[in-house]
Amino acid sequence: MKNDTIDTLFKHQDFDMATPPSGHQARFLKKIEAQHQGGGFSESTFRRELWKPLAAIAATVVLLIALTFTLKPTPAVNDLANVSPELANTQSFFTSVINEKLNTIKNEKSPETTLLIKDAMLQMESLEKEYKQLKIDLTESGNDKRVIHAMINNFWNRINLLKEVVATIESLKTTKYNTDEITL
């Protein structure tokens, strides 16, 4: 194909050599002039070609408005650590004691203690919900001392609950050990 001449390339082609009808050039020039004067689009072409971008822009605006109303920023919720460094230490202490007691309870899980542990976890869940509400109250009240006191009491209640559960588990283990020792 590289060595073919133009004549050989077009030799086997059948071209339309007919002359266009009279007035063809005038009609063609008239159409071009009409496009230049009308901005290149007729009314129907405008409707056909530009409705898609306009619809996309309208949909985007509606979506942004909807997101603005549905995604309201949530205010930051304070806890004891946000009030002062001393209360941050207090919260850290209580949290570590609670986690230590929870680990002790989880390690002591047995068929005899399952119901006791399950009940304790339900009570802990209730205390956790109460604490979340206290955090909201603390934020809304502007670090009211009464709310801080209630939060500290909530931590104490959790620790006391877990201490009682650990003591009850130890009591059950001792009773079982004594019962097993007597029957042997």
Side-chain angles (χ1 to χ4, degrees), residues 40-63:
F41 289 110
S42 66
E43 183 75 25
S44 63
T45 305
F46 178 77
R47 286 184 182 157
R48 243 182 305 140
E49 297 296 323
L50 293 181
W51 73 271
K52 291 179 184 177
L54 291 175
I57 291 169
T60 303
V61 168
V62 168
L63 181 65

Side-chain angles (χ1 to χ4, degrees), residues 139-154:
T139 303
E140 291 174 354
S141 71
N143 301 339
D144 187 355
K145 294 194 182 303
R146 293 173 295 177
V147 178
I148 293 171
H149 183 70
M151 292 173 89
I152 293 172
N153 279 339
N154 182 283

Side-chain angles (χ1 to χ4, degrees), residues 33-159:
E33 189 176 318
Q35 281 185 341
H36 269 313
Q37 289 175 353
F41 289 110
S42 66
E43 183 75 25
S44 63
T45 305
F46 178 77
R47 286 184 182 157
R48 243 182 305 140
E49 297 296 323
L50 293 181
W51 73 271
K52 291 179 184 177
L54 291 175
I57 291 169
T60 303
V61 168
V62 168
L63 181 65
L64 288 174
I65 290 171
L67 286 175
T68 301
F69 286 114
T70 58
L71 296 177
K72 295 178 183 172
T74 55
V77 177
N78 289 340
D79 59 0
L80 291 178
N82 298 106
V83 175
S84 72
E86 293 83 15
L87 288 175
N89 290 337
T90 303
Q91 179 178 340
S92 176
F93 170 75
F94 283 134
T95 304
S96 65
V97 170
I98 289 169
N99 288 335
E100 177 187 325
K101 297 292 182 193
L102 283 172
N103 286 333
T104 302
I105 290 171
K106 287 178 184 176
N107 291 336
E108 297 294 332
K109 192 169 186 176
S110 68
E112 294 86 19
T113 61
T114 302
L115 289 174
L116 176 66
I117 293 173
K118 187 175 180 179
D119 182 53
M121 292 302 116
L122 287 174
Q123 290 179 38
M124 286 292 289
E125 211 174 284
S126 173
L127 287 168
E128 181 63 30
K129 285 180 186 176
E130 179 184 315
Y131 185 75
K132 286 179 182 178
Q133 183 58 48
L134 286 170
K135 286 174 30 176
I136 293 169
D137 293 344
L138 180 68
T139 303
E140 291 174 354
S141 71
N143 301 339
D144 187 355
K145 294 194 182 303
R146 293 173 295 177
V147 178
I148 293 171
H149 183 70
M151 292 173 89
I152 293 172
N153 279 339
N154 182 283
F155 278 124
W156 276 116
N157 290 339
R158 289 191 230 182
I159 290 172

Side-chain angles (χ1 to χ4, degrees), residues 4-15:
D4 292 339
T5 61
I6 290 180
D7 291 335
T8 56
L9 286 174
F10 293 106
K11 183 178 182 181
H12 301 292
Q13 299 294 327
D14 186 25
F15 291 107

